[in-house]
Amino acid sequence: MRFGAWKVALRLARRDALRAKGRSALILAMVALPVLGVTGADVVHRSGQLTPAERVERVVGGADALVTALSPGQGVEQAPVAEDGAFAVQPRPGRQPTPEQLKAAGADPAALVTSLLPPGSTLTPARTGPETGASSPEGLVRTLTTEADLGDPVWRGRLDLVKGRAPTAPHELAATQAFLDHAGLSLESTTTVQGLEGTPYTITGVVEHPGELGRVELVARPGELLDQLAAAAEPGRPGAEQAQNAHPSWLVHLPGGAALDWAKVQLFNAHGYTLTARSVALDPPPYGAVPYFRDSATYRDPATGNSTRVVVATVTGMALLEVALLAGPAFAVGARRSRRQLALLGAAGGRRTHIGAVVLGGGLVLGLAGAALGVALGTGLVAALRPVIEEVGGARFGHFALPVPDLLAIAGIGLLTALLAAALPAWQAARRGVTAGLTGRDTVRAPNRLVTALGVALILGGGAIAVYGAGAVRHGLPVVSTYDTRTLTVLGGSITAELGLLACTPLLVALFGRLAGRLPLGPRLALRDSARNRSRTAPAVAAVMAAVAGAVAIGVYSTSTDAENRRDYRPQAPYGAVQLISHNDGPKAAQLPAEVEKQLTGLGGRADVGQLVYRFCDNCSSTVVLKGPVDLRRLADLPHVATGDVAVLHNLFDVRDAAAEKALAAGKLLVFDRSLIGADGKAVLLLRGGGGAPLQPGQIPRPDLQEVPVDAVLVDDPAAARFAQGLMPTTALTGLGLASAPQGAVWRPATPPDRKAQQRAAAAAVRLDHYAELTVERGYQPKSDAITLALTGFAALVVLGAAGIATGLAAADSRQDQATLAAVGAPPRIRRTMAGLQCALIALLGAVLGAANGFVPAVGLLKSRASGVGSQPALITAPWGELLLVVLVLPVVAGLLAALFTRSRVALGRRLS
């Protein structure tokens, strides 16, 4: 065609779009909505990708560098930005330490850092404290602690004050918004820190880490909190160990004219320190000059894959195919309604290419408008919702990005999908004869058997490729963009299987039509009309299928993942059990359980739990374990033997067996795993420690490992074996020379206490023992899956929308047939019945095919994730609720809505012959 003919075609298409405003608005929405979604996702993704300057600012703030004592006296390798990766290099056997390592091992860290930096550099300690508890109106909230002078510009960009004022007086704190939300506090509220209950702190400001908005943290002035916490912590307690093992860090401000390069970074690494310098991050060294990039692969798990990337790529590829299918019926509506106009164009001398160009021009005009509208709305929506998006994402944008190449590509994809959607109606319009167009009579062609055979081959081949690629193809380097061979194989197989189902859709519609002869009048006419007009029925079925396939794929993946997490979940106690964990054996040991029972009513009987230990010297003890195989993946804690009475058997192990209770009362050890007891009915206790100690005159030397066989009774209960290897009665400890270390208490209330009551009881327990913990075993808690819910809702809209569009097209096409039925005396309800059944048929067939096709990528992804070394077998679970909704409920709803909104009576008109 010449350019002038294209101008005429586009002019006709534009006028037709303006004339049919409702249909044009529908097509615009179909094209614009996917473009809007992809544009918004791309803008959010690009805005979240930090530039090197933004990335290093979140690490060093307003300083020039950050130095961390990772492992003084040991070699260190790091990425140019150490927070992106760093590890201590393990020394080789027989290799002598380097002079730098010897120097760092015995030097004061701050003095060493000062000596390695340019003269005149200023160090600002970046101190982080232990995780502790802070009081709230409901009890106690776990929080991190740190110290910073928020008035110093050196912290800006690393830790920002966003509300209120910086602490300036003693006993003032700043807190993150996440802490305030968890604690139910606000500005100017007071809180106390666990271990410093006598000192209330006033919260004067709200701070945030730009890259971690969900961080629960308290920020005090330098010298106001961390030293006091360290002084209050008892040696050997968790808080003291955490404060002692923390890696000291300093923010560095360089004098004018000084700079840090990669050689200086390597010098710090040689001493066991990491250095993140702004100048190095902005001008990083070549890839080959960074030892970390060469050696870090040995410190990664080679089985870790990119399942999330596979999910995104698979669903995106299926969604691009869906857009074209979804808009196809709408373009077919326009072509059908304009067939007389197009026939007149052919009668006036227009060729078939001219007629097709008019329909394809509609796709070009509406595709351009829809793509531009989607890009504009997507960008504006992200700009308007930026604070909400950042809060949900847990990080601030580095900048608001408008990637022009990406936006042009997205708009181009939207235009391309519109053209693809209009291609089939344009081809059908070009093939329609002039007489058929003028009279409104189309010929009915049988389904192409070759296309159907090809579709079956694509279904089988695509499914096999997706499953094979997920399990047999190994992870590797990216091949196309950021996707490796495994990703592309799963994606290609899934798309191939879906294309095969699309090719088989016309035959399936025709097969349904053959069932019409056995049905009453209304269903018979509906099925035959759908089968006769497959050109409008098949695209609608395909659109429903594509939407349902994407939703089911994510639903199966999420449900199976949740089932695997539930399978691998390791409870700490039976469901509903209230556990008080305390190692206190002082005078307050008896007060702790009593205080918990005072705060929580209805707990029932209490079981005091201990742990079997071997004391081989004063203040020296080791945990006693049973000899035999140990599966750490099944245990809730490290292998040990519990001590206690029948109450412990009931509350902790959930065992109520008369023989076991009798054996426990007789002083025998109960063993819950068959592999830990011998054929002679004895279990072997392993006692470690005491070997090599100085001997007194006449004393016999003891080995470092002793095996002590004891009488045992088997209680074969895999559920009880998760909590401990066995249960030893306290009455038998003296005869064995063993002891029991207190571990706390366990209750089994009829119903678990709520979380607010748990917070109050935990706060009361901490007041007596700073290191006590109160937990309630609530079982596996599934995470809410917003993606699955959103995709299910989107699939529901597509099912109803596509089925409704096809039903509207059928009503427009069959006006003459409806008039004939009315003229020969058919009841008015026939029209409603036909519309409802046609809509339900399209929705049902598309939903069933989509549900079957959605399992292909989901199974492939699950097998891909389970192919790593040491991975558990994939657990395939179907989301029955979602399947019931999209396969049964939605088709019924679609049919009822179509019948409800269809007029019963039709105006009679004169037919052309």
Side-chain angles (χ1 to χ4, degrees):
M1 283 179 55
R2 297 179 180 178
F3 179 72
W6 272 110
K7 289 178 60 177
V8 174
L10 292 176
R11 188 181 303 120
L12 290 173
R14 179 177 60 84
R15 290 176 178 175
D16 184 65
L18 293 176
R19 186 181 302 113
K21 293 183 176 60
R23 175 172 52 84
S24 300
L26 179 63
I27 297 176
L28 277 176
M30 288 183 177
V31 175
L33 284 177
V35 172
L36 183 151
V38 177
T39 298
D42 184 70
V43 172
V44 170
H45 174 67
R46 294 294 188 183
S47 300
Q49 286 184 325
L50 305 180
T51 64
E54 293 165 347
R55 174 72 181 97
V56 74
E57 183 182 23
R58 294 191 177 181
V59 176
V60 305
D64 297 303
L66 174 69
V67 179
T68 301
L70 180 63
S71 183
Q74 194 173 355
V76 167
E77 292 182 3
Q78 68 164 81
V81 176
E83 283 63 26
D84 292 338
F87 57 82
V89 180
Q90 298 300 323
R92 296 178 180 177
R95 187 172 183 178
Q96 297 298 320
T98 65
E100 293 83 0
Q101 295 172 357
L102 292 174
K103 178 182 177 181
D108 176 69
L112 178 63
V113 170
T114 302
S115 66
L116 296 177
L117 290 171
S121 300
T122 304
L123 298 183
T124 300
R127 300 184 63 189
T128 56
E131 180 180 353
T132 184
S135 62
S136 70
E138 298 297 339
L140 201 67
V141 175
R142 303 301 297 177
T143 178
L144 300 173
T145 54
T146 189
E147 290 182 348
D149 183 4
L150 298 176
D152 191 341
V154 76
W155 293 96
R156 200 163 300 154
R158 174 183 171 93
L159 183 62
D160 295 331
L161 180 69
V162 295
K163 192 185 300 182
R165 61 178 179 83
T168 56
H171 306 156
E172 289 185 345
L173 289 172
T176 61
Q177 188 63 48
F179 172 83
L180 297 179
D181 294 340
H182 281 69
L185 300 175
S186 60
L187 288 178
E188 302 305 325
S189 299
T190 59
T191 185
T192 58
V193 181
Q194 184 178 342
L196 304 174
E197 286 80 359
T199 306
Y201 288 88
T202 302
I203 301 174
T204 64
V206 178
V207 296
E208 69 178 23
H209 295 265
E212 192 178 357
L213 299 181
R215 189 181 180 96
V216 180
E217 189 172 53
L218 292 174
V219 181
R221 296 191 308 159
E224 284 280 330
L225 181 62
L226 301 188
D227 291 337
Q228 291 82 342
L229 283 175
E234 301 176 16
R237 292 293 189 176
E241 295 175 2
Q242 185 173 350
Q244 183 178 2
N245 295 333
H247 302 296
S249 299
W250 299 268
L251 293 171
V252 180
H253 183 70
L254 298 176
L260 300 173
D261 55 11
W262 181 243
K264 180 66 72 173
V265 174
Q266 291 183 307
L267 177 61
F268 272 87
N269 293 164
H271 289 81
Y273 291 71
T274 63
L275 173 63
T276 298
R278 187 186 302 272
S279 55
V280 174
L282 297 180
D283 185 19
Y287 185 90
V290 183
Y292 172 83
F293 294 146
R294 180 192 66 234
D295 300 335
S296 60
T298 61
Y299 292 84
R300 294 175 183 169
D301 182 6
T304 56
N306 51 355
S307 295
T308 302
R309 184 180 299 165
V310 178
V311 172
V312 174
T314 302
V315 175
T316 302
M318 297 173 74
L320 291 177
L321 179 63
E322 178 188 334
V323 173
L325 296 172
L326 193 58
F331 281 109
V333 171
R336 292 275 183 174
R337 291 183 178 178
S338 302
R339 57 186 171 185
R340 181 173 177 81
Q341 172 187 335
L342 297 174
L344 289 174
L345 178 62
R351 290 180 293 183
R352 289 187 174 184
T353 54
H354 295 150
I355 297 174
V358 173
V359 180
L360 198 61
L364 180 61
V365 171
L366 295 176
L368 279 174
L373 182 64
V375 169
L377 289 179
T379 305
L381 196 62
V382 173
L385 299 179
R386 177 176 177 176
V388 178
I389 296 172
E390 290 175 339
E391 292 291 340
V392 173
R396 298 293 180 197
F397 289 167
H399 59 287
F400 188 76
L402 290 176
V404 176
D406 289 10
L407 298 182
L408 290 177
I410 293 170
I413 291 174
L415 174 61
L416 178 62
T417 53
L419 291 175
L420 290 175
L424 181 60
W427 179 72
Q428 291 173 341
R431 292 186 61 192
R432 184 181 295 118
V434 174
T435 304
L438 292 174
T439 60
R441 298 171 181 172
D442 292 329
T443 57
V444 179
R445 297 181 177 86
N448 192 316
R449 295 183 178 180
L450 180 61
V451 173
T452 303
L454 178 62
V456 174
L458 290 177
I459 293 172
L460 299 177
I465 289 173
V467 175
Y468 171 79
V473 179
R474 301 182 61 184
H475 293 292
L477 296 176
V479 177
V480 177
S481 183
T482 58
Y483 304 119
D484 60 7
T485 304
R486 172 180 287 189
T487 307
L488 295 175
T489 304
V490 175
L491 174 61
S494 303
I495 296 294
T496 301
E498 184 165 355
L499 289 174
L501 280 177
L502 295 181
C504 295
T505 302
L507 177 63
L508 294 174
V509 173
L511 291 177
F512 269 90
R514 294 184 178 181
L515 303 176
R518 303 177 182 178
L519 300 177
L521 178 61
R524 186 192 317 149
L525 292 175
L527 285 179
R528 284 180 175 174
D529 184 71
S530 298
R532 185 182 303 112
N533 297 279
R534 291 185 298 274
S535 59
R536 57 171 161 78
T537 306
V541 171
V544 173
M545 184 195 73
V548 172
V552 171
I554 295 299
V556 172
Y557 184 86
S558 300
T559 305
S560 301
T561 300
D562 187 73
E564 291 177 356
N565 293 337
R566 186 183 299 274
R567 175 194 63 189
D568 300 335
Y569 175 72
R570 295 183 296 180
Q572 302 298 311
Y575 176 78
V578 177
Q579 270 190 304
L580 173 65
I581 303 174
S582 174
H583 309 289
N584 195 325
D585 55 357
K588 294 183 179 181
Q591 299 179 24
L592 273 171
E595 183 64 26
V596 172
E597 291 173 336
K598 179 181 177 181
Q599 297 293 330
L600 300 176
T601 59
L603 288 178
R606 185 182 85 210
D608 295 321
V609 182
Q611 181 173 297
L612 190 63
V613 296
Y614 169 49
R615 303 190 188 279
F616 50 88
C617 68
D618 293 339
N619 298 324
C620 302
S621 64
S622 63
T623 301
V624 178
V625 298
L626 296 180
K627 183 179 181 180
V630 176
D631 186 2
L632 295 177
R633 293 180 299 182
R634 294 178 50 205
L635 299 179
D637 200 354
L638 294 176
H640 69 281
V641 177
T643 60
D645 53 14
V646 175
V648 176
L649 183 66
H650 293 167
N651 290 5
L652 179 60
F653 296 98
D654 197 21
V655 173
R656 299 183 182 275
D657 181 86
E661 295 173 6
K662 183 178 180 181
L664 192 67
K668 293 186 177 181
L669 170 68
L670 300 183
V671 178
F672 303 107
D673 189 345
R674 184 180 300 274
S675 63
L676 299 178
I677 191 170
D680 56 354
K682 292 183 179 291
V684 178
L685 302 176
L686 298 181
L687 315 182
R688 296 183 182 275
L695 299 177
Q696 300 296 328
Q699 187 177 7
I700 301 175
R702 293 180 297 178
D704 191 61
L705 176 63
Q706 304 178 53
E707 296 186 358
V708 179
V710 294
D711 293 330
V713 174
L714 175 65
V715 181
D716 196 2
D717 190 336
R722 294 179 299 188
F723 309 125
Q725 293 179 308
L727 175 62
M728 176 74 76
T730 53
T731 55
L733 299 182
T734 305
L736 296 172
L738 302 177
S740 175
Q743 300 295 306
V746 181
W747 296 265
R748 290 293 302 279
T751 58
D754 58 38
R755 297 186 185 276
K756 290 185 177 181
Q758 180 184 348
Q759 282 191 20
R760 290 193 298 269
V766 166
R767 284 193 291 268
L768 295 175
D769 181 358
H770 294 319
Y771 306 101
E773 293 184 26
L774 186 72
T775 63
V776 178
E777 179 54 56
R778 305 183 187 276
Y780 174 72
Q781 300 294 316
K783 297 181 180 179
S784 60
D785 196 343
I787 294 180
T788 302
L789 182 62
L791 281 177
T792 303
F794 175 70
L797 290 177
V798 172
V799 169
L800 298 177
I805 291 171
T807 305
L809 174 58
D813 278 353
S814 60
R815 285 177 181 175
Q816 295 178 354
D817 295 337
Q818 297 289 343
T820 302
L821 287 173
V824 298
R829 68 174 181 273
I830 288 295
R831 193 164 188 263
R832 288 182 180 270
T833 303
M834 286 184 61
L837 290 176
Q838 282 179 332
C839 192
L841 171 66
I842 292 170
L844 178 62
L845 184 56
V848 171
L849 294 177
N853 190 42
F855 274 85
V856 176
V859 173
L861 299 176
L862 292 168
K863 288 187 175 294
S864 172
R865 187 176 61 184
S867 62
V869 178
S871 300
Q872 291 272 45
L875 189 61
I876 311 299
T877 306
W880 295 112
E882 180 186 356
L883 292 176
L884 179 66
L885 174 66
V886 298
V887 174
L888 294 181
V889 177
L890 284 178
V892 174
V893 172
L896 292 177
L897 290 176
L900 179 64
F901 288 102
T902 300
R903 291 184 298 178
S904 298
R905 299 186 181 275
V906 61
L908 298 179
R910 182 171 59 88
R911 298 185 62 180
L912 296 175
S913 57

